[in-house]
Structures are given as structure tokens and as C-alpha cells.
């Protein structure tokens, strides 16, 4: 939602942001957009109702059927207590107001956490998840932050993104394919989670950032590009006082307590905001201060990482974008110019 009270999104075939809703949201209404690792569908929650649109070939929209693209936001029938939503590659996760979770769509890797690998077009209850306060979706894995810790779900942990210690290709880490707790490497409670394509991040209350999974582009902050970098969560020693983390497909962004924005991983499209395409970046670097964004004086309050582009919002509600723009994903009104440093949306 933008400062004008409207809910905006980059719809297919448009290269500038367009309004999803025709009227502003009031102070008593709320809308959230969580796209996770999804490339082809989106979902958001408004007043407990779940709205979906985009590709639906796996039933990832949870409408009870598969179909071609749904081009307008469509309410999912029967859901009126949704709280959070995340979209993965062909699947959707939803946390309800009572802390339980439901999921729908592609399930070949057990990413739905429903006790099978059956793909479904109806939302089903995720086994064993309660008191969830956050949700994240990767390409083939799911994450929930609960009062008991971080629960993860997938059939194979070949890339180590589940942090469970399995390292061999196609290892079945849970024959029942229901979420299990991820060891956090510390007794400090987790405060937030994020899922990339094949890597995961857990931010602890003490400001430490732990990452695991695929590291071929340095996205886990390890000094060498091992695949996987760590099958158990590993801390990034150079980072402290982290307050937010966002995993893209192969890059990761962090916001620190002083509100500077840092990044690591793939940068071939400028998604780390370095003013160049040097890639991979295996040590954490500061996002350049385009328009004050990313700097200590930029006071960035929110970050987001997409497939190969990034965005951040400053405390004055200005939005900055950087990275790939071949699909118009930066919202700059054209598709020919990549942004190697943060560029302000008008």
C-alpha cells in the first residue's frame, strides 16, 4: 500500500505501478502483498479475506480448480480469517488469525506440509503448525515462525535450505512431509524469517543473522561459494544489530539498527545496488546511497528482494528500486534500463 492509501501492484503487461483497488483503503482497513519467491502469481490479505491472481496451473490460487491466468484479484471462498500469506513457486501458504496455517498448489517436494506430495487446488491444513506469526516461501520449501521456533517443510534438503543437517542430494528429511523445527544454533528466540530460491534466513532477537542453503552466488554470506554453504544454520560474523532480512532468488538484503541497508550474493543485474554488475558478491556490502536510500542517513524502514531486483522504502514513504527491469519490474515506465543503484519511484 502506498502513501496515498491505494493498494498498488505491477500487473502483467504494465511497466508502471497500477492500482489493484479502485478506492483508497481506510484507516480501519489493511492490505498486505507477499510474493515470496513467486514469479507468476500473487496474493494479499484484506480484512481477513484472501485475494489471489496470476498463474493457476497447479491450483496455487486455492480456488478449487486449475486454470490459465486469473487476471484480476479474486477472493478465495470460505477464508475470512487470513492473517499472512506467502507465494512460492507454484504454491501458496497462508497463516490464519488463530496461528494455524493452510496451503495449496504444487506439492512435489512436500512444500505444502500436508503429509503427502499430492498437488491440490484447495487450501488444506498444514500439519503441526500453531501459533505462527510469520511465513515465508522458497522455490520448493516453506518456513513458519512460531512460538516454538522456526518450522520448515520439504521432502528434499539437497541444497541445505532447511538447516536440518542433511547434505546428500534427494535426501528425504521427513517421510511424512510435515513441518519440523529448524535448529537455530542458539537459545535466542527468532524474530523473523525469509526464504530465497534455495536458501533461508533466520533473524534472532539479538540482531544476529543465520543463513543456510545454496551459496553458489554467495547469498548465504559465506566467504566461498560452496553448494550448499551449510546444512545447518550458520551465522554471518560481520553482521550485528540486524532488524530485517529479505531473501531474493540468489541474493540477500539486510537492514541494520541504524537503518543502513546491506546486501550479499548475486549482483549480475545490479540487485545489490552497487553501481556495477560485479558478481558474485560473497562478503556483505552496503547498498549505495542513491537519493539517500540505503545509507545510514536514508532511514530505510522496509526492504524486499525479488528474483533479480530489489526495493526499499524510506521513513518518508519514498520507494527506491534497483536491479533488473526487463519485465518492467522496477515500475519505471520502461523495460530497457537496469538500475544499478537505488532509483526513486516517482
Amino acid at each position: 500500500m502506498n502513501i496515498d492509501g491505494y493498494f498498488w501492484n505491477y500487473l502483467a503487461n504494465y511497466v508502471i505501478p497500477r492500482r489493484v483497488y479502485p478506492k483508497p483503503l481506510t484507516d480501519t482497513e489493511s492490505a498486505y502483498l507477499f510474493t515470496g519467491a513467486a514469479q507468476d502469481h500473487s496474493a494479499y490479505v484484506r480484512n481477513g479475506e484472501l485475494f489471489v491472481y496470476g498463474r493457476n496451473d497447479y491450483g496455487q490460487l486455492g480456488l478449487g480448480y486449475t486454470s490459465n491466468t486469473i487476471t484480476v484479484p479474486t477472493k478465495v471462498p470460505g477464508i475470512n480469517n487470513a492473517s499472512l500469506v506467502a507465494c512460492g513457486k507454484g504454491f501458496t501458504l497462508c497463516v490464519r488469525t488463530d496461528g494455524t496455517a493452510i496451503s495449496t498448489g504444487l506439492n512435489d517436494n512436500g512444500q505444502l506440509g500436508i503429509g503427502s506430495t499430492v498437488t491440490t487446488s484447495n487450501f488444506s491444513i498444514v500439519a503441526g503448525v500453531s501459533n505462527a506469526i510469520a511465513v515465508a516461501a522458497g522455490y520448493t520449501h516453506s518456513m513458519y515462525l512460531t512460538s516454538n521456533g522456526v518450522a520448515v517443510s520439504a521432502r528434499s534438503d539437497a541444497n541445505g535450505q532447511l538447516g536440518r543437517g542433511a547434505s546428500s542430494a534427494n535426501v528425504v528429511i521427513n517421510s511424512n512431509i510435515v513441518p519440523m523445527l529448524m535448529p537455530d544454533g542458539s537459545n535466542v528466540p527468532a524474530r523473523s524469517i525469509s526464504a530465497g530460491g534455495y536458501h533461508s534466513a533466520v533473524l534472532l532477537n539479538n540482531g544476529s543473522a543465520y543463513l543456510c542453503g545454496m551459496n553458489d552466488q554467495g547469498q548465504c554470506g559465506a566467504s566461498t561459494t560452496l553448494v550448499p554453504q551449510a546444512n545447518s544454520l550458520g551465522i554471518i560474523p560481520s553482521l550485528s544489530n540486524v532488524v530485517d532480512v529479505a531473501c531474493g532468488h540468489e541474493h540477500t538484503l539486510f537492514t541494520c539498527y541504524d537503518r543502513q541497508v546491506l546486501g550479499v550474493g548475486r549482483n549480475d543485474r545490479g540487485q545489490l545496488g552497487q553501481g556495477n554488475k560485479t558478481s558474485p558478491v560473497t562478503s556483505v556490502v552496503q547498498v549505495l546511497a542513491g537519493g539517500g536510500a540505503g545509507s545510514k542517513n536514508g532511514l530505510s524502514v522496509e526492504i524486499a528482494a525479488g528474483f533479480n531486483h530489489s526495493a526499499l522504502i524510506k521513513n518518508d514513504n519514498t520507494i527506491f528500486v534497483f536491479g533488473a527491469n526487463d519485465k518492467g519490474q522496477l515500475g519505471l515506465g520502461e523495460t530497457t534500463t537496469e538500475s544499478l543503484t537505488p532509483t526513486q519511484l516517482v
Side-chain angles (χ1 to χ4, degrees):
M1 187 174 69
N2 203 0
I3 188 172
D4 59 3
Y6 284 99
F7 185 59
W8 296 77
N9 189 23
Y10 305 100
L11 300 177
N13 302 319
Y14 290 105
V15 294
I16 58 175
R18 295 180 64 88
R19 290 200 298 260
V20 176
Y21 273 111
K23 67 179 183 70
L25 300 177
T26 68
D27 291 339
T28 59
E29 295 176 318
S30 59
Y32 305 91
L33 177 66
F34 300 86
T35 55
Q39 290 178 273
D40 302 314
H41 77 289
S42 298
Y44 62 86
V45 173
R46 186 189 186 197
N47 294 334
E49 296 178 331
L50 179 61
F51 292 83
V52 294
Y53 52 103
R55 192 170 174 175
N56 192 39
D57 51 337
Y58 294 109
Q60 56 263 55
L61 301 187
L63 298 173
Y65 57 86
T66 59
S67 66
N68 294 325
T69 300
I70 304 295
T71 59
V72 296
T74 302
K75 182 182 180 301
V76 179
I79 296 180
N80 55 19
N81 61 345
S83 176
L84 302 169
V85 64
C87 300
K89 181 64 173 176
F91 67 101
T92 304
L93 312 173
C94 177
V95 172
R96 299 184 289 193
T97 54
D98 62 0
T100 60
I102 52 178
S103 59
T104 186
L106 183 62
N107 194 33
D108 59 334
N109 198 46
Q111 54 267 53
L112 296 189
I114 58 176
S116 72
T117 56
V118 176
T119 293
T120 177
S121 60
N122 291 294
F123 276 96
S124 303
I125 295 176
V126 177
V129 171
S130 60
N131 300 317
I133 58 174
V135 60
Y139 251 43
T140 60
H141 71 291
S142 304
M143 301 177 69
Y144 300 91
L145 177 57
T146 76
S147 59
N148 295 322
V150 178
V152 289
S153 179
R155 182 168 184 258
S156 172
D157 193 24
N159 295 304
Q161 66 266 38
L162 301 188
R164 296 290 306 176
S167 58
S168 302
N170 298 318
V171 169
V172 177
I173 58 97
N174 187 340
S175 60
N176 293 321
I177 319 166
V178 296
M180 298 191 306
L181 288 181
M182 170 190 284
D184 64 9
S186 169
N187 292 322
V188 180
R191 63 180 295 173
S192 66
I193 56 175
S194 185
Y198 298 100
H199 71 294
S200 303
V202 177
L203 177 62
L204 302 186
N205 276 342
N206 64 5
S208 299
Y210 283 76
L211 284 86
C212 62
M214 183 76 78
N215 192 54
D216 57 331
Q217 299 295 321
Q219 58 265 49
C220 286
S223 58
T224 58
T225 53
L226 304 177
V227 184
Q229 99 65 20
N231 298 301
S232 298
L233 286 170
I235 192 172
I236 300 181
S238 60
L239 279 179
S240 61
N241 296 321
V242 180
V243 297
D244 196 11
V245 60
C247 294
H249 181 59
E250 294 178 322
H251 71 291
T252 309
L253 300 178
F254 309 90
T255 302
C256 294
Y257 181 76
D258 58 7
R259 296 303 176 183
Q260 65 174 317
V261 178
L262 308 176
V264 71
R266 190 166 185 164
N267 189 48
D268 61 328
R269 307 298 294 274
Q271 55 265 57
L272 295 184
Q274 295 300 294
N276 57 49
K277 294 184 180 182
T278 301
S279 186
V281 176
T282 59
S283 297
V284 176
V285 293
Q286 182 174 324
V287 173
L288 294 182
S295 69
K296 292 183 179 181
N297 297 323
L299 296 177
S300 300
V301 297
E302 189 170 347
I303 52 176
F307 188 83
N308 50 20
H309 69 293
S310 305
L312 58 87
I313 302 177
K314 289 173 56 179
N315 65 331
D316 60 2
N317 288 307
T318 52
I319 302 173
F320 289 80
V321 292
F322 43 105
N325 193 40
D326 54 313
K327 307 297 184 184
Q329 55 265 59
L330 298 187
L332 300 175
E334 45 86 13
T335 61
T336 58
T337 305
E338 295 175 334
S339 180
L340 305 183
T341 59
T343 300
Q344 184 174 348
L345 282 180
V346 178

